[in-house]
Amino acid sequence: MKKFLNINDIEICIDDTEDGENTVLLIHGLTGNKSTMYPIRDMFKDEYRVITIDTRGHGESTRPEQYTIDDHANDIHEIIKELNLEKVDILGYSMGSYIALRAAEVKCDDINNLILVCTKPNGKTSSVARLLKEANLDITQVTQEEMMEVILKASVAPQSFEKIASGELNIEGLLKGDEGQELNEEEKAAEDASLANFDNSNDYDKVTCNTLVIAAEYDGINPPELGREVADGIKDAKFELIENAGHLVVAEQPDEFQNIIKDFLNN
């Protein structure tokens, strides 16, 4: 069920399956929205209450002219409070993992388990902006098609290209989601600025919840060694490397991805 929550003086749009004893909150990646996380939602909705969100600046949520990763983190805790949830499991994908980690560094008393997928500890800008710059493209001017082409080249394992071309592997939903909710040039610039020089590596010691870091062998956006660095910095964090997959690991190796997370949550 779609809901709008008044959070920190803005509206945050969420999708809430509502049923389930334990709750998993999903945070999407760069330029995404809650619908880009539906493939993950569908993996867990039969066993968990799953909440997908449009982070501020995205989807159907309010799109401020400027915001920070700390604003995102504070929004997460306010969402949990607004929904009267005692504790949740949080899964953040790519940009969503930076937000999830920052939220855990703010406080962990409302987080049971933390799952960081295709993550990195810090960055001068977003990984996508870096890739676009290397391709001589400006994130504020690039078309969605140009952006997707650059992302795709850095996002999948070599064997996945043939599957995408043949239609055997469908990545449209994970990459684009609801195309009616795309960001305009100013909104992309605000999104990119929110990640400028972010650094989550200074407060690893504040993360006291159970933590799982998932990396992918062929991830050219956030290479696996960066995920390993995050896992090594957080006490007792578990690290899992999924082979034969890239940044779109959710689509490339869905069964292994799902099993790793379920094993972690169940144990």
Side-chain angles (χ1 to χ4, degrees):
M1 177 183 291
K2 184 164 71 174
K3 304 175 183 177
F4 288 88
L5 307 178
N6 291 316
I7 301 293
N8 294 324
D9 298 323
I10 66 170
E11 277 197 334
I12 295 289
C13 185
I14 70 168
D15 182 279
D16 187 351
T17 63
E18 299 188 326
D19 294 326
E21 182 178 351
N22 298 314
T23 301
V24 178
L25 189 151
L26 306 180
I27 311 175
H28 62 76
L30 191 84
T31 73
N33 53 68
K34 59 185 179 298
S35 66
T36 57
M37 299 298 280
Y38 288 168
I40 301 178
R41 176 200 64 183
D42 293 344
M43 292 178 177
F44 298 98
K45 66 181 181 181
D46 291 337
E47 298 178 46
Y48 298 88
R49 176 181 179 180
V50 184
I51 297 170
T52 53
I53 71 172
D54 286 331
T55 62
R56 63 168 60 210
H58 300 78
E60 296 180 83
S61 293
T62 303
R63 301 186 181 188
E65 292 183 0
Q66 56 184 350
Y67 50 89
T68 67
I69 193 170
D70 291 301
D71 291 328
H72 284 309
N74 291 329
D75 289 342
I76 298 304
H77 292 293
E78 287 301 312
I79 290 169
I80 296 170
K81 181 179 178 182
E82 182 69 17
L83 294 174
N84 295 313
L85 298 170
E86 184 177 349
K87 283 200 174 210
V88 303
D89 300 323
I90 296 181
L91 184 154
Y93 168 65
S94 195
M95 181 189 77
S97 71
Y98 320 153
I99 296 169
L101 178 53
R102 182 61 61 87
E105 291 176 340
V106 171
K107 65 175 181 177
C108 278
D109 58 4
D110 56 0
I111 303 173
N112 190 27
N113 297 294
L114 179 68
I115 302 167
L116 308 175
V117 181
C118 297
T119 195
K120 65 179 181 179
N122 47 44
K124 293 182 178 180
T125 183
S126 70
S127 298
V128 172
R130 170 181 57 80
L131 289 170
L132 291 173
K133 185 176 180 180
E134 291 172 359
N136 296 315
L137 294 170
D138 183 340
I139 192 171
T140 65
Q141 304 291 329
V142 69
T143 66
Q144 192 72 9
E145 290 72 22
E146 289 172 327
M147 181 182 291
M148 289 304 106
E149 183 179 354
V150 170
I151 292 174
L152 185 59
K153 288 179 179 178
S155 293
V156 298
Q159 63 269 31
S160 296
F161 282 105
E162 292 183 9
K163 293 181 179 180
I164 293 170
S166 68
E168 182 182 349
L169 179 60
N170 184 0
I171 60 171
E172 290 298 308
L174 188 62
L175 277 178
K176 296 183 179 180
D178 188 337
E179 295 187 37
Q181 297 174 16
E182 293 178 3
L183 307 183
N184 62 31
E185 293 177 5
E186 291 77 15
E187 290 161 349
K188 287 179 183 177
E191 176 192 50
D192 192 52
S194 73
L195 298 177
N197 299 309
F198 87 91
D199 192 346
N200 285 334
S201 66
N202 297 317
D203 294 307
Y204 289 146
D205 59 317
K206 296 179 181 177
V207 181
T208 57
C209 52
N210 301 319
T211 302
L212 167 67
V213 177
I214 297 177
E217 180 182 11
Y218 290 101
D219 190 347
I221 293 181
N222 288 333
E225 58 267 24
L226 297 181
R228 170 69 77 176
E229 182 179 337
V230 173
D232 288 346
I234 299 172
K235 184 178 179 181
D236 297 326
K238 184 178 182 180
F239 178 80
E240 292 281 359
L241 176 66
I242 297 180
E243 298 179 348
N244 298 317
H247 201 70
L248 300 184
V249 58
V250 179
E252 293 177 273
Q253 299 292 343
D255 293 339
E256 185 176 358
F257 177 82
Q258 182 177 7
N259 290 336
I260 287 171
I261 294 173
K262 285 189 173 181
D263 287 345
F264 173 71
L265 294 178
N266 291 335
N267 294 320

